[in-house]
């Protein structure tokens, strides 16, 4: 079946540091890929998405590129802030699967001032 | 109200109680979902409703009973729960049509079963 693997956290870094969270997927075909973010005490919010190979999703300084050849969708941000402290989830879906999302395990990021 | 709302935000119940979680979406979507988020476990899809019809039940125990009276409202009825059912229960909605594949989540209900 489909699966998403992302690096385990927690990831602890200082403000203005560079952040990378790795995400790879296993799926038959070409899914849509997502990054969701969950701030403390809140539900999930869509951060960015990409629907086909080589698409780049971006939002709030975060970027991720859909790499078909490596089945990856790594999340990056050049300069993190304390407010970026959250849990980040990589996910995939196939439209034919009725929009069922398959999530990775989540990566907790803690940014210290 | 905008987006997806859930009530209550926090719930503490005993194992013999009966309670219900409510979700409402204000986005005009026609698909709604229940997820369970437990500590140290991936998000688990529980139920999916499309156009008010249940299209997915991911082997969820019968002590969880969903209800979708219309495309804007989704309930999760709880009875005789176990302590291991303590978790964050998330509701989401989406539009089931070509090109639309994004789910929008509510803030969740934090459930504690004593």
């Amino acid at each position: 079946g489909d699966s998403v693997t992302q690096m385990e956290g927690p990831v602890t870094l200082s403000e203005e540091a560079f952040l990378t969270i790795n995400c790879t997927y296993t799926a038959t075909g070409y899914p849509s890929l997502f990054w969701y973010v969950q701030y403390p005490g809140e539900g999930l919010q869509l951060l960015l998405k990409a629907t086909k190979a080589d698409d780049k999703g971006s939002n709030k300084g975060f970027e991720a590129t859909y790499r078909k050849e490596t089945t990856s969708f790594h999340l990056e941000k050049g300069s993190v802030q304390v407010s970026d402290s959250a849990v980040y989830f990589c996910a995939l879906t196939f439209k034919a699967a009725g929009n069922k999302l398959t999530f990775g395990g989540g990566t907790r990021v803690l940014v210290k001032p | 109200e905008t987006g997806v709302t859930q009530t209550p935000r926090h719930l503490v119940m005993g194992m013999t109680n009966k309670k219900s979680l409510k979700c409402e979406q204000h986005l005009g979507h026609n698909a709604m979902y229940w997820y369970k988020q437990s500590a140290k476990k991936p998000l688990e899809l529980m139920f999916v409703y499309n156009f008010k019809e249940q299209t997915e039940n991911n082997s969820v125990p019968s002590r969880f009973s969903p209800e979708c009276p219309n495309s804007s409202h989704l309930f999760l009825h709880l009875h005789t729960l176990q302590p291991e059912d303590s978790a964050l229960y998330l509701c989401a909605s989406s539009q089931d049509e070509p090109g639309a594949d994004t789910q929008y989540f509510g803030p969740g209900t934090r459930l504690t079963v004593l």
Side-chain angles (χ1 to χ4, degrees):
Chain A
D2 303 331
S3 66
V4 176
T5 302
Q6 55 183 112
M7 57 193 294
E8 289 192 25
V11 174
T12 303
L13 58 168
S14 300
E15 210 164 19
E16 299 184 3
F18 185 88
L19 171 68
T20 299
I21 304 176
N22 291 338
C23 170
T24 56
Y25 66 90
T26 302
T28 303
Y30 303 110
S32 294
L33 300 173
F34 304 81
W35 277 101
Y36 281 86
V37 58
Q38 185 176 33
Y39 297 104
E42 299 183 15
L44 275 68
Q45 301 176 24
L46 178 66
L47 182 59
L48 53 85
K49 61 183 270 192
T51 58
K52 61 183 187 296
D54 300 325
D55 268 3
K56 176 185 283 188
S58 61
N59 186 27
K60 298 182 181 180
F62 289 89
E63 292 183 341
T65 301
Y66 190 143
R67 301 288 188 198
K68 182 180 65 174
E69 62 278 8
T70 55
T71 61
S72 64
F73 193 54
H74 304 322
L75 182 68
E76 297 182 336
K77 185 173 185 180
S79 177
V80 294
Q81 305 300 313
V82 173
S83 57
D84 293 323
S85 298
V87 181
Y88 293 81
F89 293 91
C90 186
L92 67 81
T93 191
F94 287 95
K95 186 62 183 76
N99 284 353
K100 281 179 55 179
L101 276 169
T102 299
F103 284 94
T107 301
R108 182 174 300 277
V109 172
L110 178 60
V111 180
K112 295 186 174 181
Chain B
E1 291 277 14
T2 58
V4 181
T5 58
Q6 291 187 241
T7 54
R9 293 294 306 275
H10 299 272
L11 178 62
V12 179
M13 59 187 289
M15 290 190 284
T16 58
N17 291 158
K18 290 184 180 181
K19 297 287 185 183
S20 295
L21 310 185
K22 178 183 176 182
C23 174
E24 184 173 2
Q25 59 94 1
H26 309 268
L27 300 169
H29 291 161
N30 53 25
M32 298 187 77
Y33 312 78
W34 279 117
Y35 289 87
K36 177 183 179 182
Q37 186 178 28
S38 306
K40 301 182 189 292
K41 290 180 69 174
L43 272 158
E44 301 172 66
L45 178 65
M46 300 174 73
F47 300 104
V48 180
Y49 277 82
N50 276 288
F51 295 97
K52 302 185 300 178
E53 298 296 320
Q54 188 181 125
T55 56
E56 186 89 19
N57 176 337
N58 252 9
S59 303
V60 180
S62 59
R63 58 185 183 271
F64 295 91
S65 175
E67 178 190 1
C68 189
N70 54 61
S71 57
S72 298
H73 294 86
L74 184 65
F75 295 89
L76 188 62
H77 303 301
L78 316 171
H79 64 98
T80 60
L81 295 191
Q82 305 298 311
E84 60 264 29
D85 296 322
S86 298
L88 182 68
Y89 288 85
L90 293 165
C91 174
S93 72
S94 70
Q95 186 63 17
D96 186 19
E97 66 183 22
D101 53 12
T102 300
Q103 292 184 20
Y104 296 85
F105 285 78
T109 295
R110 174 70 63 187
L111 174 67
T112 302
V113 181
L114 301 177

